[in-house]
Amino acid sequence: MVATRHVEELVQRVTGGGDDSDIAFDGLRITRDESDDEFTFTLAIDGGRVDRTGLDADGLRAVLAGEAGEAGAVVEPYVTNWHYWQETVGGEGTARRAFLRWCEDAPLADDDATSVPARYADVRDGIDREWGQLCITARFVDGDEPDGERAYDLWHVDDADADLDALEIHDEPRAARELATYDEDGRYRPLKTAPTLETGWAFTGLSGTELVDAVGFFYPATIANWHREREGELDVDHWSETAARQSGIYEVVSELPREAVDWLAEACCVDSQCLRRREWEYEAGDDLDPDGGDGPFPCREPCSLVIAAARKWAIAESETERTYELELTPSERNQLEELIDAVADDRTDEIREADVNDGANRYRARYLRAKRFADGELEMREQ
Amino acid sequence: MQALVIAAHGSHLNPDASNPTYAHADTVRETGAFDEVREAFWKEEPHFREVIRTLESEEVFVVPLFISEGYFTERIIPRELRLDEFEPEQWESDGTSASQVTFEAEDVGKTIHYCGPVGTHDAMTDVIVQRAESVTSDPSVGKGVGLAVVGHGTERNENSAKAVEYHADRIRERRRFDEVEALFMDEEPEVDDVTDFFATEDIVVVPLFVADGYHTQEDIPEDVGLTEDYRLGWTVPAEVDGHRIWYAGAVGTEGLMADVILERAADAGAELGDAIERVRQITSSATESDPERTSQAGD
């Protein structure tokens, strides 16, 4: 049975008069009949599954409430679906609404073909979507007798198969701030979109607004920029523009050589380091070499971490290259490469204590230092 | 709908730098005075650059969680918020009197009220006094006690010292403390010699900083002589040259700072109902501050 209040709100909406009183949403269409002195209405669902015309307000109410025989089961999901999206969520044109629609694979434009009953079957089971390392489930608050109200669950993609009892359960979006601050090893995460989100927690039963707030704490501004991108309004600031507007100690970043910006993007802005998909290039018409990545949400300009690192590299790149001569065995030369790779791939914690086959093993590194360093420096000659 | 944006520095290195920002934002959230409350940062996310787009409200009040008027409030924040028409002269400030400027950001369809920093608002004077109360656990602290308001100070920006002197003058005029001095880390009169400036045995030292970091938790404790090595911590009060020095962390961690944020927004026209009154009630109980070192150096 359709919730009475939903029917009543819908009837009041269409009988309230005014230019925008017609309903055309997700396959539900209620229009006031033309050239009619009395108020009568036409109800059409999914272009013909239900098609009743000449209904007065009571007749409309009866059909919507499923009291007019044939239409009850057909009408119900359309009415509750209308109520959730138009009354509970609202926010036509906002990123919040678009994101919540995305969460249940609902079409964004109202005139897109859609089948509410099919979507309802999916939401009844729970629809899972991934947003970076977040897994979001859209479901009904009441799965047995859905009245259209949705609830959202949120957890780490790696915990998707975990038992809820094994996770720390939250219901307050602000808890996401603390979860997003430290990685699994307790290290500070200055970059919120680094792929280092810790596991072991879940948010359950969030409202749409709470879900958007929580995602905003995990991945700030990603929903807004994703929405802008979908609307064709993403305002990309390329490297040269962002560098040019820096001031103070960061003014120097605009001196970073062209090819160094490629290296910077390869170092910082790839999927292994950041889940945002880089959309900025060196400048319009001059793309950077590395791939921008496959993340769901776009990166519209170099972030503050990239700018801070670029300052270091801009100063370092202003030095002139020199040629050094030093003695290394072939194994030692290989070991230098292994050491750099181990740090660059954040692998040092995984190297076993006694694994002396790994060039980045601590004893191997200490041996190399004992042999090749003098007074704390690698021994070499400058040519 | 109206939104509040608290614009703070944040840190790439110190996870605690943003704690006061979050705490005050949460206090404001509890009042329900704003439809949306957002923290925004120079070094964290959401960045100043991307915060406005996360809001649905048409009226946006931006309050910088900074101590003085200067590089960040006059240049960085307006630039990153895309307030392209902003000129510091629009504040018509003498260095401590910036209130607010209003812009129509037509590309996003919003009215943006860009407020002066919290540190120079008159309500900040009360926060400093409350800090003295909470550090001493004495709601009537003042008689027989000296108060040192300590700022960074820098010769590059005269407004940095002005903010500290402004509040010290205001507290002095209240005649609550026997003596009140404005002292600095990087200019004269220096906080290193704090005991030279006071005849009173008890001296409360309140650093006018937004967040705890190496200045408030490492430099000042060592400069003042509270401890040989900040890592060893210090006692409250600590004995220095025959004086008892009462010192805890940055004044910006005081709960009443949320009141200053609201006052800034109210001055710019935000409709707050009884929120200011409620925040004062929530945050006015003097609480024991944690004198332990709580954070590492910022960046």
Side-chain angles (χ1 to χ4, degrees):
Chain A
M1 201 58 172
V2 185
T4 314
R5 68 186 173 95
H6 292 177
V7 170
E8 207 46 53
E9 284 176 40
L10 185 49
V11 170
Q12 279 180 10
R13 176 59 56 94
V14 289
T15 57
D19 294 337
D20 58 349
S21 58
D22 285 355
I23 302 285
F25 177 72
D26 271 5
L28 171 67
R29 199 169 188 86
I30 306 174
T31 50
R32 205 153 101 189
D33 295 334
E34 284 180 26
S35 62
D36 190 349
D37 294 336
E38 296 172 38
F39 285 147
T40 64
F41 301 91
T42 294
L43 168 69
I45 283 178
D46 260 355
R49 293 187 64 198
V50 171
D51 197 353
R52 298 282 299 270
T53 194
L55 296 165
D56 63 11
D58 285 342
L60 178 65
R61 187 178 288 112
V63 177
L64 291 174
E67 292 162 2
E70 92 280 8
V74 176
V75 168
E76 175 168 343
Y78 289 89
V79 174
T80 60
N81 182 66
W82 170 85
H83 187 271
Y84 179 66
W85 288 109
Q86 303 305 87
E87 301 293 295
T88 304
V89 174
E92 193 68 48
T94 61
R96 169 176 58 88
R97 179 185 176 90
F99 180 72
L100 294 175
R101 297 281 289 176
W102 174 86
C103 284
E104 63 175 59
D105 266 333
L108 278 186
D110 291 343
D111 54 357
D112 280 3
T114 182
S115 169
V116 169
R119 177 144 48 90
Y120 260 45
D122 291 340
V123 176
R124 208 181 273 261
D125 294 340
I127 296 179
D128 288 340
R129 304 294 312 254
E130 287 188 9
W131 189 258
Q133 288 183 293
L134 300 176
C135 179
I136 299 162
T137 301
R139 59 177 172 86
F140 289 117
V141 172
D142 182 345
D144 296 328
E145 286 188 55
D147 65 353
E149 294 305 299
R150 272 71 156 175
Y152 302 89
D153 305 322
L154 177 66
W155 56 78
H156 195 292
V157 285
D158 293 347
D159 286 330
D161 297 325
D163 194 339
L164 270 188
D165 293 342
L167 304 175
E168 193 179 293
I169 305 298
H170 300 275
D171 56 10
E172 164 58 62
R174 279 181 242 163
R177 258 182 347 213
E178 183 74 12
L179 294 170
T181 301
Y182 301 94
D183 69 11
E184 210 87 57
D185 298 323
R187 293 183 300 189
Y188 179 40
R189 298 174 69 244
L191 179 65
K192 291 284 196 293
T193 45
T196 55
L197 194 60
E198 69 169 334
T199 56
W201 49 267
F203 290 78
T204 56
L206 297 177
S207 70
T209 304
E210 289 171 333
L211 173 71
V212 169
D213 283 348
V215 171
F217 284 127
F218 279 117
Y219 296 138
T222 54
I223 293 176
N225 284 326
W226 164 86
H227 180 58
R228 281 183 169 238
E229 185 177 51
R230 287 171 76 113
E231 300 288 304
E233 294 171 355
L234 186 69
D235 49 339
V236 173
D237 286 354
H238 295 294
W239 168 263
S240 56
E241 295 154 353
T242 302
R245 76 163 198 272
Q246 302 304 316
S247 58
I249 62 169
Y250 298 110
E251 201 171 332
V252 68
V253 303
S254 60
E255 292 170 25
L256 194 65
R258 170 65 184 83
E259 71 269 26
V261 183
D262 280 328
W263 303 326
L264 172 152
E266 186 177 327
C268 306
C269 306
V270 290
D271 285 345
S272 67
Q273 305 302 308
C274 179
L275 298 170
R276 273 178 291 196
R277 167 174 32 85
R278 181 176 54 74
E279 288 298 317
W280 53 270
E281 303 291 350
Y282 184 76
E283 58 191 14
D286 183 1
D287 287 1
L288 297 174
D289 278 347
D291 185 68
D294 298 317
F297 29 84
C299 176
R300 47 163 299 283
E301 72 172 328
C303 68
S304 74
L305 279 149
V306 161
I307 292 297
R311 172 174 182 258
K312 186 76 187 166
W313 289 318
I315 294 166
E317 292 292 351
S318 70
E319 296 172 7
T320 334
E321 289 187 344
R322 299 172 201 189
T323 303
Y324 297 96
E325 189 178 82
L326 67 164
E327 277 74 42
L328 293 173
T329 65
S331 292
E332 287 166 351
R333 195 203 65 116
N334 291 342
Q335 192 188 348
L336 283 183
E337 292 167 0
E338 285 184 79
L339 280 163
I340 290 169
D341 281 340
V343 173
D345 298 333
D346 198 18
R347 203 173 60 77
T348 52
D349 284 350
E350 300 160 18
I351 299 167
R352 289 168 296 174
E353 181 93 6
D355 186 3
V356 290
N357 289 323
D358 194 314
N361 170 272
R362 191 172 77 246
Y363 296 119
R364 290 278 306 278
R366 291 178 65 83
Y367 180 91
L368 186 66
R369 184 170 68 177
K371 178 178 175 184
R372 295 297 185 188
F373 278 43
D375 300 325
E377 290 182 9
L378 188 58
E379 281 192 293
M380 64 182 77
R381 292 169 299 280
E382 190 177 331
Q383 290 200 323
Chain B
M1 288 176 75
Q2 60 178 8
L4 173 70
V5 172
I6 303 176
H9 191 284
S11 169
H12 289 160
L13 302 175
N14 173 9
D16 298 322
S18 48
N19 287 348
T21 314
Y22 290 137
H24 305 320
D26 287 348
T27 303
V28 174
R29 284 188 178 102
E30 297 297 333
T31 70
F34 290 91
D35 300 287
E36 298 169 289
V37 176
R38 206 73 84 224
E39 306 89 339
F41 302 97
W42 171 232
K43 294 285 191 177
E44 296 180 33
E45 300 162 272
H47 193 270
F48 298 149
R49 193 89 177 147
E50 306 207 326
V51 68
I52 301 295
R53 66 188 57 205
T54 70
L55 300 168
E56 290 183 20
S57 303
E58 310 83 36
E59 293 278 318
V60 180
F61 297 85
V62 179
V63 178
L65 197 62
F66 284 80
I67 289 300
S68 57
E69 294 172 26
Y71 181 60
F72 279 95
T73 61
E74 293 176 355
R75 194 157 170 194
I76 296 290
I77 298 173
R79 181 186 79 204
E80 298 297 304
L81 290 178
R82 301 176 176 78
L83 304 179
D84 298 336
E85 294 159 22
F86 176 80
E87 297 289 341
E89 293 72 33
Q90 290 170 295
W91 266 340
E92 295 178 356
S93 175
D94 62 9
T96 59
S97 64
S99 177
Q100 73 107 23
V101 192
T102 299
F103 298 91
E104 299 299 328
E106 281 161 19
D107 56 329
V108 284
K110 295 184 193 303
T111 302
I112 299 182
H113 303 273
Y114 180 48
C115 303
V118 289
T120 55
H121 195 279
D122 283 359
M124 192 73 199
T125 308
D126 296 332
V127 184
I128 296 169
V129 172
Q130 175 148 325
R131 186 54 155 194
E133 294 172 9
S134 60
V135 171
T136 56
S137 302
D138 178 1
S140 58
V141 62
K143 195 167 170 52
V145 174
L147 173 67
V149 184
V150 180
H152 189 285
T154 164
E155 280 160 17
R156 286 177 300 162
N157 174 17
E158 58 176 349
N159 291 343
S160 173
K162 273 187 189 171
V164 182
E165 285 158 356
Y166 181 73
H167 294 296
D169 289 347
R170 281 169 52 85
I171 297 170
R172 193 177 298 116
E173 285 164 13
R174 295 179 183 184
R175 302 183 184 281
R176 171 171 173 167
F177 293 87
D178 281 17
E179 299 167 75
V180 181
E181 297 291 341
L183 303 177
F184 303 96
M185 296 181 65
D186 279 7
E187 59 182 82
E188 298 282 337
E190 289 193 359
V191 69
D192 307 38
D193 312 314
V194 60
T195 52
D196 295 349
F197 297 101
F198 291 90
T200 55
E201 185 183 351
D202 286 290
I203 307 169
V204 183
V205 177
V206 176
L208 195 61
F209 286 76
V210 161
D212 277 318
Y214 60 92
H215 288 320
T216 63
Q217 297 296 322
E218 300 175 20
D219 293 351
I220 295 176
E222 290 182 6
D223 290 351
V224 169
L226 302 175
T227 178
E228 290 277 298
D229 182 333
Y230 72 89
R231 282 167 293 200
L232 303 173
W234 59 90
T235 57
V236 182
E239 296 286 334
V240 179
D241 301 337
H243 293 263
R244 286 195 300 186
I245 309 265
W246 303 77
Y247 178 85
V251 71
T253 60
E254 193 70 31
L256 191 59
M257 281 292 286
D259 171 63
V260 187
I261 294 169
L262 285 179
E263 301 271 2
R264 273 286 181 223
D267 291 350
E271 292 177 17
L272 302 181
D274 64 350
I276 289 181
E277 213 38 57
R278 286 169 57 201
V279 161
R280 282 193 188 146
Q281 277 169 8
I282 296 168
T283 60
S284 63
S285 53
T287 49
E288 192 71 37
S289 296
D290 180 9
E292 295 299 314
R293 209 182 119 262
T294 54
S295 56
Q296 294 291 330
D299 59 346

